[in-house]
Amino acid sequence: MKKTFQMAKMGFALCASMLLVACGSSGESSKESSESTNSVTLMDEVKPVDITFWHAMKGPNADALEKIVADYNATVGKEKGVTVTPVFQDTGIASKVKMAASTDDIENAPDIIQTVGSDIPSLSALEEIVPAQEFFDSKNAGITTDDYYPHLLRTFTYKEKIMGVPMNVSTLLLYYNEDLLKKAGHTEAPATIAELAQYSTDLGKVDGVTGLNTEIARYQLANFIVSQSEKSFMGDNEGGRLQPMTEYTMGKDGTLKAFLTEWEKVVQSGSYKYLEDNPNEEFASGLNAMVLLSSARLGAINHLVGDKFQWKTAFLPKVNEKDTSGASVGGSALVMYNRGDNNKLAAAWDFIKYATSPEVQATWSQATGYIPVNKNTEKLDSMVEFYAKNPNYKVALEQMKASSPMAQEPFDLVNWEVNDIVKDTMGRFAQKQLSVDEAVEELSTKSNEALAEYIRVNE
């Protein structure tokens, strides 16, 4: 019997000694439906097979991912005769997956897809996609969803089904130059936007220094909206997670105005750079004392700064002191694609289990700065030692744990278009061309117009 996904109690089982496969979907393989019709059974063992893994990692993160694949192929994969081939697909993986499904291109389709959360709703409509929920529901499993942080499972949950297994996840952090803050008279990181504004003003008095550099785009705005309370969402249906979003509600529930009212203090600080030209390099050179960046930038910042100055990371400043929800999670999950070969599905799942195991996640997190998705990773001696030597890396994990699982980016269907709307509006707000009320009206109206048009075209 299927169990529904509930945040309060997550005790689903996942296959360990036995491997899961999907029985094939009903209807045409390229046909889209509101929910996958795949069902799940168990196999005693995997037969030798090659599987394809589409990903979008670049640079050092790509090197770290390919090492995971190579280590699997040389150990667990070799023992079982499974070979994983990573294929870089850059951005737009979801579009390529949908193209493969619509053309029945089974030969060139992937077995595993690394996909961002915002693509989950559209991918879930494909019959070829096998929800991870199908695997977590297995009664003969060896590990459970309790091995993953509930925040991360919810990040990739749609219509109460876990669609993908979290892999590379991060949170938005405040990076700050501790030496410059001390020169400005501050020994702790700002805890609220009002304090952030005051710090920026003070830092502006230090020669050649800009207090804060960050561009408010959709991702940043989403964090400040959902952080206000567990009931704060950018749109209806819990931000499009229970059902498709039909309206951006941030303009009428007060959360958008609350953020803009406080952010106006940052704009008025006189030491705020609202465009991100080279945020990593400018922070590392000491030009900007504070910057809001993903925790996935930790490795790059660490390398660029070196021993030039002391720097730290801190939680995302609250909109208001009494806010309770915390920062949201961003990143990607590993999603299964059914090519009609049960053995390939079993092999793909075996790799996903390996890639999200405690030991592998420790290596992955230390190399990239991504939050380890397996709760058992932080208990490993190697991870305890790493965090002791690199406390900046642990801040993202602690921020996630201190946040509500309800604090999530929206599944808003028009995220790229809304991202442009937010950047344009917030840019003019930063230049004092729009008042708080005008910015609220513009952001709300234009975002809802974009969403309404999408619904009209696709209904």
Side-chain angles (χ1 to χ4, degrees):
M1 180 178 293
K2 296 293 182 67
K3 303 174 185 176
T4 58
F5 174 82
Q6 300 180 22
M7 297 309 304
K9 183 177 181 180
M10 307 173 71
F12 299 122
L14 179 65
C15 179
S17 60
M18 302 185 74
L19 297 170
L20 297 166
V21 298
C23 294
S25 58
S26 62
E28 296 294 328
S29 64
S30 62
K31 182 180 178 182
E32 293 191 3
S33 64
S34 59
E35 294 184 11
S36 170
T37 57
N38 290 296
S39 59
V40 176
T41 58
L42 294 168
M43 279 181 66
D44 290 330
E45 60 182 28
V46 179
K47 299 176 183 177
V49 68
D50 295 338
I51 60 173
T52 302
F53 172 27
W54 283 8
H55 72 90
M57 294 282 94
K58 297 179 181 179
N61 289 351
D63 295 339
L65 186 65
E66 290 181 1
K67 184 180 186 306
I68 290 175
V69 174
D71 288 347
Y72 173 83
N73 288 339
T75 56
V76 177
K78 183 177 181 180
E79 180 183 337
K80 298 178 178 180
V82 177
T83 300
V84 179
T85 300
V87 179
F88 174 68
Q89 291 288 0
D90 210 341
T91 57
I93 285 181
S95 297
K96 295 174 184 178
V97 171
K98 285 183 265 188
M99 177 64 72
S102 66
T103 58
D104 288 327
D105 189 5
I106 299 299
E107 182 75 20
N108 297 304
D111 300 292
I112 304 171
I113 310 152
Q114 178 198 40
T115 186
V116 296
S118 57
D119 285 332
I120 290 293
S122 60
L123 286 178
S124 69
L126 301 176
E127 289 188 349
E128 290 81 1
I129 297 300
V130 181
Q133 189 77 63
E134 302 288 346
F135 299 89
F136 286 132
D137 282 352
S138 171
K139 63 182 180 181
N140 294 321
I143 59 176
T144 74
T145 50
D146 286 332
D147 289 288
Y148 299 86
Y149 296 101
H151 312 70
L152 307 185
L153 293 177
R154 181 167 169 77
T155 299
F156 305 106
T157 295
Y158 180 57
K159 294 183 179 179
E160 298 189 325
K161 276 191 176 182
I162 305 169
M163 299 304 300
V165 180
M167 177 63 188
N168 52 297
V169 294
S170 58
T171 63
L172 189 61
L173 297 176
L174 175 70
Y175 293 68
Y176 66 97
N177 184 320
E178 189 176 25
D179 294 346
L180 288 176
L181 259 65
K182 287 181 179 178
K183 285 185 178 181
H186 300 287
T187 58
E188 301 290 338
T192 64
I193 292 179
E195 289 186 0
L196 185 68
Q198 183 60 57
Y199 279 38
S200 295
T201 298
D202 297 339
L203 285 159
K205 299 173 184 177
V206 179
D207 290 342
V209 174
T210 296
L212 174 67
N213 175 212
T214 194
E215 183 173 23
I216 300 298
R218 173 187 168 278
Y219 175 55
Q220 290 80 2
L221 179 61
N223 267 271
F224 285 119
I225 295 297
V226 303
S227 67
Q228 294 179 44
S229 78
E230 288 193 348
K231 296 182 179 179
S232 298
F233 304 103
M234 286 186 74
D236 62 354
N237 293 320
E238 294 188 357
R241 290 173 179 275
L242 296 180
Q243 294 293 331
M245 227 175 80
T246 65
E247 179 188 13
Y248 285 90
T249 56
M250 59 185 176
K252 67 181 186 181
D253 65 9
T255 54
L256 181 56
K257 185 168 184 176
F259 162 67
L260 288 169
T261 298
E262 293 305 301
W263 199 254
E264 188 174 37
K265 298 173 184 176
V266 173
V267 172
Q268 294 172 344
S269 70
S271 190
Y272 166 51
K273 181 181 177 184
Y274 70 91
L275 291 176
E276 293 181 359
D277 298 314
N278 297 290
N280 292 13
E281 291 78 3
E282 290 179 14
F283 176 78
S285 66
L287 290 174
N288 304 321
M290 301 181 293
V291 62
L292 295 178
L293 294 172
S294 165
S295 57
R297 304 279 189 105
L298 278 163
I301 295 294
N302 197 38
H303 173 73
L304 289 168
V305 174
D307 58 2
K308 287 185 287 189
F309 57 82
Q310 294 296 313
W311 64 281
K312 289 184 177 180
T313 58
F315 285 14
L316 181 72
K318 295 181 178 182
V319 175
N320 290 292
E321 188 177 0
K322 294 182 180 180
D323 290 350
T324 59
S325 194
S328 71
V329 176
S332 301
L334 302 181
V335 175
M336 307 281 291
Y337 188 96
N338 184 4
R339 291 209 266 171
D341 186 330
N342 292 345
N343 192 53
K344 278 182 173 287
L345 278 172
W349 182 244
D350 191 60
F351 172 74
I352 290 175
K353 290 193 299 179
Y354 173 85
T356 60
S357 64
E359 293 77 14
V360 174
Q361 280 293 300
T363 302
W364 171 247
S365 180
Q366 292 174 33
T368 63
Y370 285 120
I371 297 170
V373 302
N374 194 306
K375 288 196 297 187
N376 298 304
T377 300
E378 65 174 299
K379 304 172 187 176
L380 297 176
D381 290 342
S382 62
M383 207 66 197
V384 172
E385 293 173 6
F386 177 78
Y387 282 146
K389 294 178 181 179
N390 303 274
N392 285 328
Y393 281 72
K394 194 175 184 180
V395 175
L397 173 64
E398 294 302 326
Q399 176 170 244
M400 180 202 68
K401 290 164 63 177
S403 300
S404 166
M406 303 299 284
Q408 300 286 346
E409 284 189 79
F411 285 166
D412 47 1
L413 304 173
V414 287
N415 52 87
W416 292 111
E417 188 172 351
V418 169
N419 187 61
D420 291 338
I421 291 170
V422 173
K423 289 201 295 184
D424 175 68
T425 304
M426 290 304 300
R428 287 184 289 118
F429 182 72
Q431 297 175 76
K432 303 179 182 179
Q433 297 175 4
L434 297 173
S435 67
V436 168
D437 288 338
E438 288 170 338
V440 169
E441 177 64 24
E442 185 163 318
L443 281 168
S444 182
T445 300
K446 288 188 175 181
S447 297
N448 273 309
E449 287 175 349
L451 181 58
E453 178 62 16
Y454 176 90
I455 294 172
R456 185 191 67 81
V457 172
N458 291 279
E459 64 183 2

Short mmCIF file of all heavy atoms in Angstrom, two decimals, residues 57 132 214 242 250 294 334 349 353 363 430 453:
data_model
loop_
_atom_site.label_atom_id
_atom_site.label_comp_id
_atom_site.label_asym_id
_atom_site.label_seq_id
_atom_site.Cartn_x
_atom_site.Cartn_y
_atom_site.Cartn_z
N MET A 57 27.28 19.77 -13.95
CA MET A 57 28.39 20.28 -13.14
C MET A 57 29.53 20.78 -14.02
O MET A 57 29.84 20.20 -15.06
CB MET A 57 28.92 19.19 -12.21
CG MET A 57 27.96 18.72 -11.13
SD MET A 57 27.81 19.86 -9.71
CE MET A 57 26.38 20.82 -10.19
N ALA A 132 11.14 8.90 -6.93
CA ALA A 132 11.93 8.24 -5.88
C ALA A 132 11.01 7.67 -4.80
O ALA A 132 11.38 6.72 -4.11
CB ALA A 132 12.92 9.22 -5.27
N THR A 214 25.35 42.49 -3.48
CA THR A 214 24.49 41.36 -3.82
C THR A 214 23.39 41.83 -4.75
O THR A 214 22.89 42.95 -4.62
CB THR A 214 23.88 40.70 -2.56
OG1 THR A 214 23.34 39.43 -2.91
CG2 THR A 214 22.78 41.55 -1.96
N LEU A 242 1.93 21.54 -3.51
CA LEU A 242 0.78 20.65 -3.36
C LEU A 242 0.07 20.42 -4.68
O LEU A 242 -0.35 19.32 -5.01
CB LEU A 242 -0.20 21.25 -2.34
CG LEU A 242 0.30 21.39 -0.91
CD1 LEU A 242 -0.78 21.99 -0.03
CD2 LEU A 242 0.74 20.03 -0.36
N MET A 250 2.72 36.72 -2.73
CA MET A 250 3.62 37.51 -1.89
C MET A 250 3.27 38.99 -1.88
O MET A 250 3.59 39.71 -0.94
CB MET A 250 5.07 37.34 -2.37
CG MET A 250 5.29 37.76 -3.82
SD MET A 250 6.98 37.41 -4.34
CE MET A 250 6.86 37.89 -6.10
N SER A 294 25.69 31.61 -2.51
CA SER A 294 25.38 30.23 -2.18
C SER A 294 26.55 29.58 -1.44
O SER A 294 27.72 29.91 -1.67
CB SER A 294 25.08 29.45 -3.46
OG SER A 294 25.12 28.05 -3.22
N LEU A 334 18.88 13.68 -7.97
CA LEU A 334 19.06 12.62 -8.97
C LEU A 334 17.70 11.98 -9.21
O LEU A 334 17.06 11.49 -8.29
CB LEU A 334 20.07 11.59 -8.46
CG LEU A 334 21.46 12.15 -8.11
CD1 LEU A 334 22.38 11.02 -7.64
CD2 LEU A 334 22.06 12.88 -9.28
N TRP A 349 19.56 2.95 -9.73
CA TRP A 349 19.23 3.15 -8.32
C TRP A 349 20.40 2.76 -7.41
O TRP A 349 20.66 3.40 -6.40
CB TRP A 349 17.98 2.35 -7.96
CG TRP A 349 17.55 2.53 -6.55
CD1 TRP A 349 17.51 1.59 -5.56
CD2 TRP A 349 17.13 3.75 -5.95
NE1 TRP A 349 17.07 2.15 -4.39
CE2 TRP A 349 16.83 3.49 -4.60
CE3 TRP A 349 16.96 5.05 -6.43
CZ2 TRP A 349 16.40 4.46 -3.71
CZ3 TRP A 349 16.53 6.04 -5.56
CH2 TRP A 349 16.25 5.73 -4.21
N LYS A 353 22.11 5.25 -4.64
CA LYS A 353 22.35 4.89 -3.23
C LYS A 353 23.81 5.11 -2.85
O LYS A 353 24.11 5.62 -1.77
CB LYS A 353 21.95 3.43 -2.98
CG LYS A 353 20.46 3.16 -3.02
CD LYS A 353 20.16 1.78 -2.45
CE LYS A 353 20.84 0.70 -3.25
NZ LYS A 353 20.57 -0.65 -2.68
N THR A 363 33.05 13.06 1.21
CA THR A 363 34.04 13.44 0.19
C THR A 363 33.49 14.54 -0.71
O THR A 363 34.17 15.53 -1.02
CB THR A 363 34.43 12.22 -0.66
OG1 THR A 363 34.96 11.21 0.20
CG2 THR A 363 35.46 12.59 -1.70
N ALA A 430 16.81 49.65 -6.33
CA ALA A 430 18.12 49.98 -5.76
C ALA A 430 18.62 51.34 -6.24
O ALA A 430 19.42 51.99 -5.55
CB ALA A 430 19.14 48.90 -6.11
N GLU A 453 -0.18 33.80 -18.26
CA GLU A 453 0.04 33.50 -19.68
C GLU A 453 0.51 32.08 -19.88
O GLU A 453 0.08 31.39 -20.81
CB GLU A 453 1.07 34.50 -20.25
CG GLU A 453 1.43 34.27 -21.71
CD GLU A 453 0.26 34.41 -22.67
OE1 GLU A 453 -0.78 34.97 -22.27
OE2 GLU A 453 0.39 33.98 -23.83
#
